[in-house]
Amino acid sequence: EVEQENRLLLEKMARAEHEEAVRERKGRQLEDKLTRIKTLNHDLATQVEKLGAEKALNENNMSKIGKQNDKVDNWIEHTVNENTSNNSIRPTTSLFTEADEEDENEEDHEDMVRFLRET
């Protein structure tokens, strides 16, 4: 009878040790998962921060582009008004060669650059 009680006690102890080992293993797994979640959260926060900075930079660049577009529009309007008032609009006839057109395009470009620098 004592031997049977000892055997039952040993079985209970073995079960308790096994259950404790299972709890410890599950605890370590949960700690590992928590660490992984914290790492992922940190990585996501870093990405969100980078995206916010990129968004601000893009908005700034878009603003600069818009301002440049406004300057180009102003230059075009200024040039058209100037050409109209001077009656210097070039007729589109075959009298003008491709080289003349290239020269005029280059002059227009130089005029635009000069105008943009002045504004």
Side-chain angles (χ1 to χ4, degrees):
E1 201 174 287
V2 172
E3 284 180 24
Q4 186 176 357
E5 283 181 26
N6 282 343
R7 189 173 42 83
L8 289 174
L9 282 174
L10 286 174
E11 285 176 7
K12 274 186 174 180
M13 284 176 57
R15 255 181 284 157
E17 286 175 2
H18 173 72
E19 288 172 2
E20 184 178 342
V22 168
R23 280 193 299 274
E24 285 178 8
R25 189 188 69 218
K26 286 183 180 180
R28 283 191 304 275
Q29 288 174 343
L30 288 174
E31 286 175 3
D32 291 346
K33 286 180 182 179
L34 180 60
T35 300
R36 180 73 179 136
I37 288 169
K38 286 179 180 179
T39 301
L40 290 173
N41 281 341
H42 179 265
D43 292 348
L44 285 173
T46 301
Q47 287 179 354
V48 166
E49 192 175 305
K50 285 180 183 177
L51 288 173
E54 284 181 28
K55 180 183 178 194
L57 182 62
N58 287 340
E59 288 171 351
N60 186 35
N61 287 339
M62 292 299 289
S63 174
K64 287 179 182 178
I65 290 169
K67 289 175 185 174
Q68 279 299 107
N69 284 343
D70 291 344
K71 286 182 179 181
V72 169
D73 289 344
N74 289 339
W75 177 82
I76 290 170
E77 185 177 333
H78 170 77
T79 303
V80 167
N81 290 340
E82 187 177 271
N83 287 342
T84 303
S85 67
N86 293 338
N87 220 2
S88 63
I89 297 176
R90 191 185 86 189
T92 54
T93 66
S94 60
L95 297 174
F96 291 93
T97 65
E98 221 175 276
D100 292 332
E101 174 117 6
E102 286 175 13
D103 289 344
E104 188 168 305
N105 286 341
E106 190 173 315
E107 288 174 17
D108 285 347
H109 178 72
E110 290 170 4
D111 289 345
M112 181 180 72
V113 169
R114 201 171 17 263
F115 178 81
L116 291 175
R117 285 189 182 136
E118 291 170 4
T119 57

